[in-house]
Amino acid sequence: DEPIRHAAGFILQNLDSKSIVSSYPTGAGLPGHFYNRYESYSLVWPLLALSHYEQKYGASPK
């Protein structure tokens, strides 16, 4: 499907972009006290999605 190919292409194009989302704390903590930051968290979910895409469709999106 075209929307799925488009989404996978978007992930590939923006995988290494820096944004507020990539700098936001990703772990649990107490508001105003401490926050955790998982450095690879912003890469894990996009790579997992691309892996599922490749397993299902057999190729990377163009």
Side-chain angles (χ1 to χ4, degrees), residues 9-49:
F10 176 83
I11 291 172
L12 284 173
Q13 289 176 352
N14 295 292
L15 197 55
D16 62 350
S17 70
K18 300 293 181 204
S19 68
I20 183 117
V21 176
S22 65
S23 64
Y24 195 77
T26 53
L30 299 173
H33 295 284
F34 74 93
Y35 298 96
N36 292 333
R37 173 83 176 108
Y38 302 115
E39 299 300 325
S40 63
Y41 202 79
S42 62
L43 298 174
V44 170
W45 298 111
L47 292 175
L48 186 60

